[in-house]
Amino acid sequence: MGTRDLLLIVLICRLAWAGSMESCAHRCEEKFNKAADCQCNHQCEQHKDCCEDYEQLCASQEESKKMEAEWEEKETAPASNVYLAPNSCHGRCQEAYDQHHPCHCNSKCQKFGNCCEDYDSLCANDGFSHSSDAITKEELLTISEKIYKADTNKAQKEDIVLNSQNHISSSETNDQVDRSPEPLYSYVNEELFSKPTYAAFINLLNNYHAATGQGEHFNSQQLAEQDTFLQEIMKTAVMKELYSFLHQKNRYSSKQEFVSDLKNMWFGLYTRGDDEGDSSGFEHVFSGEVKKRKEVSGFHNWIRFYLQEKEGLVNYYSHNYNGPWDSYPDVLGMQFNWNGSYKEVGTAFIGSSPEFEFALYSLCFISRPGKVCHLSLGGYPLAIQTYTWDKITYGNGKKYVATAYVVSPKE
Ligand SMILES: *[C@@H]1O[C@H](CO)[C@@H](O)[C@H](O)[C@H]1NC(C)=O
């Protein structure tokens, strides 16, 4: 073999090597690799040394992880060993797989043959004994369209002037760069806020300490405000639609039972940080919380956002998703800073009434707890993710709302 042949072989080998090191194929989330020409973990976006196909091959995996991270406490506080009877599906139907449990209660357990003994009696048909009581995909689409049409309290087009400014890609959401000099809301017709459900809702927003790890203690007026809110929303067509649907599906036998359950699941306190009763589904979703490492947790409501922006406490940075609706309610996926803490992707309905959001989140939490719930609004698909709080229960093993939010679709 001549020198020329040897050189050729060396050259071919080098090309093959370089080829694999210039692509993210099989390298997504690989640790920093000094030998490689470019990188494939999410830090590469910051360091500007991503491979050209990073976005295509790895960023979408990142995105789905981000959605999971939305309910971060799950990771830091696994749900293991918190049940009275770990060998039973009591209070655990459709729970996410957790390797710590001796047996399982989600639909896959049948395939894997590791269901708890009482899985069939407690969880088959989503835990409902008659299959006609199970809520189907189609029924969710129909009831969500009904609720959408019933929302007569929502903002009209002229009630809100949005200034959504900079649109960024999903790979840029952790940059923490303020790309929008102006506020998100140029104008909101505050007459909306004198409608009874809005007024009752706004009264609730200042009843919470935003910091997790700081216990909530309600005085009698604040407790009364919770009841007023529930009473007011129950007068609306939106909540009447929801109740009659759930009643027909045998989830609730009376309005009182329904309201009392809503009160527990949304307003019941549990401990997210270190202090006794520092959190609830309502606080998390509608008022917003801040975690010790300066991240905004929850905070998915447009009225809260507008009021805090007006106070100078929210700084809108950009959006990575703007829903297809051309009237309200619309949906935005936003980046913003709330009193020094950052929200990487916060989705929110814009211009909807409080009862509308409360109804859709409750619908999804009740019919698809801990899962993605597919709805239809004005002919457009929309998905809501809910999570259950698994560490403590109320009533007969019922779960509190940990979070509920609109899933921002991949673009
Ligand atoms: C803003 O955050 C600081 C802590 O960083 C806190 O002390 C203060 O109460 C917060 N302000 C409001 C209005 O939430």
Side-chain angles (χ1 to χ4, degrees):
M1 190 155 50
T3 320
R4 224 196 66 176
D5 292 331
L6 237 175
L7 267 178
L8 201 63
I9 288 164
V10 168
L11 188 67
I12 288 168
C13 286
R14 241 203 85 71
L15 278 175
W17 168 251
S20 73
M21 287 293 131
E22 280 168 6
S23 162
C24 284
H26 312 296
R27 293 178 52 210
C28 293
E29 287 315 297
E30 172 192 78
K31 287 218 184 77
F32 180 75
N33 182 345
K34 228 166 47 179
D37 297 326
C38 57
Q39 306 297 325
C40 304
N41 56 47
H42 64 277
Q43 286 96 334
C44 75
E45 297 178 83
Q46 230 165 331
H47 300 133
K48 310 265 178 255
D49 57 1
C50 299
C51 301
E52 277 186 21
D53 54 7
Y54 169 76
E55 180 87 5
Q56 190 195 347
L57 293 178
C58 309
S60 61
Q61 292 180 18
E62 267 300 290
E63 186 63 15
S64 55
K65 266 195 236 133
K66 216 175 274 167
M67 280 173 194
E68 285 166 32
E70 170 78 15
W71 181 233
E72 322 84 339
E73 314 296 333
K74 283 255 159 190
E75 295 154 29
T76 51
S80 50
N81 303 329
V82 295
Y83 302 101
L84 298 173
N87 292 314
S88 159
C89 285
H90 187 75
R92 291 176 52 201
C93 293
Q94 305 316 327
E95 166 194 87
Y97 179 78
D98 180 338
Q99 58 173 0
H100 300 96
H101 289 142
C103 60
H104 304 279
C105 306
N106 60 51
S107 51
K108 293 205 181 84
C109 72
Q110 290 173 306
K111 197 168 122 200
F112 293 107
N114 55 9
C115 298
C116 301
E117 271 187 19
D118 53 8
Y119 171 79
D120 272 344
S121 60
L122 291 179
C123 308
N125 297 324
D126 270 341
F128 288 85
S129 40
H130 301 289
S131 57
S132 64
D133 293 346
I135 294 172
T136 67
K137 235 160 54 180
E138 291 69 34
E139 286 166 336
L140 282 177
L141 301 179
T142 310
I143 181 63
S144 52
E145 283 291 359
K146 278 190 186 167
I147 288 172
Y148 180 79
K149 288 199 184 73
D151 189 17
T152 49
N153 275 337
K154 68 181 184 183
Q156 300 306 305
K157 260 190 173 166
E158 61 277 11
D159 287 332
I160 299 174
V161 180
L162 267 189
N163 184 8
S164 56
Q165 301 161 83
N166 222 305
H167 181 273
I168 63 168
S169 75
S170 300
S171 62
E172 295 171 298
T173 56
N174 69 2
D175 290 2
Q176 304 211 19
V177 177
D178 183 1
R179 295 175 166 94
S180 302
E182 303 293 325
L184 174 61
Y185 291 95
S186 302
Y187 168 75
V188 170
N189 177 6
E190 292 194 11
E191 275 177 36
L192 273 177
F193 300 162
S194 58
K195 293 186 181 214
T197 59
Y198 285 73
F201 174 79
I202 290 167
N203 280 340
L204 288 169
L205 293 174
N206 61 1
N207 292 354
Y208 297 95
H209 303 290
T212 54
Q214 201 176 350
E216 309 295 344
H217 303 281
F218 300 124
N219 61 34
S220 56
Q221 187 198 331
Q222 292 171 329
L223 289 171
E225 285 171 358
Q226 298 173 0
D227 290 326
T228 305
F229 174 69
L230 290 168
Q231 278 161 21
E232 287 302 334
I233 64 173
M234 284 306 291
K235 294 178 191 164
T236 65
V238 161
M239 289 302 285
K240 284 180 180 157
E241 284 288 357
L242 178 63
Y243 172 70
S244 87
F245 174 72
L246 294 172
H247 176 64
Q248 188 201 327
K249 288 281 159 193
N250 275 325
R251 298 304 203 268
Y252 300 99
S253 53
S254 72
K255 265 194 190 146
Q256 288 92 307
E257 191 198 337
F258 179 50
V259 172
S260 145
D261 196 38
L262 288 175
K263 187 171 175 178
N264 272 312
M265 77 174 73
W266 282 102
F267 292 100
L269 295 177
Y270 48 80
T271 302
R272 216 178 271 261
D274 338 304
D275 199 7
E276 209 51 40
D278 60 351
S279 188
S280 67
F282 185 90
E283 175 181 14
H284 181 85
V285 173
F286 295 101
S287 184
E289 298 181 288
V290 174
K291 294 189 299 184
K292 289 221 179 80
R293 48 179 201 271
K294 292 252 154 210
E295 282 167 32
V296 175
S297 176
F299 201 122
H300 298 284
N301 177 262
W302 75 273
I303 299 166
R304 175 69 165 161
F305 191 106
Y306 165 73
L307 292 172
Q308 292 284 291
E309 183 174 68
K310 195 172 135 183
E311 300 254 318
L313 286 165
V314 160
N315 182 0
Y316 171 75
Y317 281 13
S318 53
H319 65 287
N320 66 313
Y321 174 71
N322 189 348
W325 296 272
D326 56 12
S327 61
Y328 297 119
D330 198 351
V331 173
L332 278 183
M334 294 169 285
Q335 292 68 50
F336 58 90
N337 187 300
W338 182 33
N339 186 24
S341 298
Y342 185 60
K343 182 79 181 179
E344 188 174 336
V345 182
T347 56
F349 287 107
I350 309 288
S352 48
S353 69
E355 62 267 30
F356 173 83
E357 286 168 55
F358 201 79
L360 290 191
Y361 293 147
S362 300
L363 170 68
C364 285
F365 185 76
I366 292 163
S367 55
R368 297 285 186 275
K371 292 192 200 167
V372 175
C373 166
H374 295 279
L375 306 178
S376 175
L377 299 181
Y380 293 104
L382 171 121
I384 286 175
Q385 170 81 57
T386 63
Y387 283 106
T388 54
W389 182 258
D390 290 339
K391 291 207 261 184
I392 57 167
T393 58
Y394 66 88
N396 190 15
K398 294 196 118 188
K399 305 273 181 84
Y400 295 102
V401 176
T403 190
Y405 56 89
V406 175
V407 177
S408 104
K410 295 187 188 101
E411 279 137 289

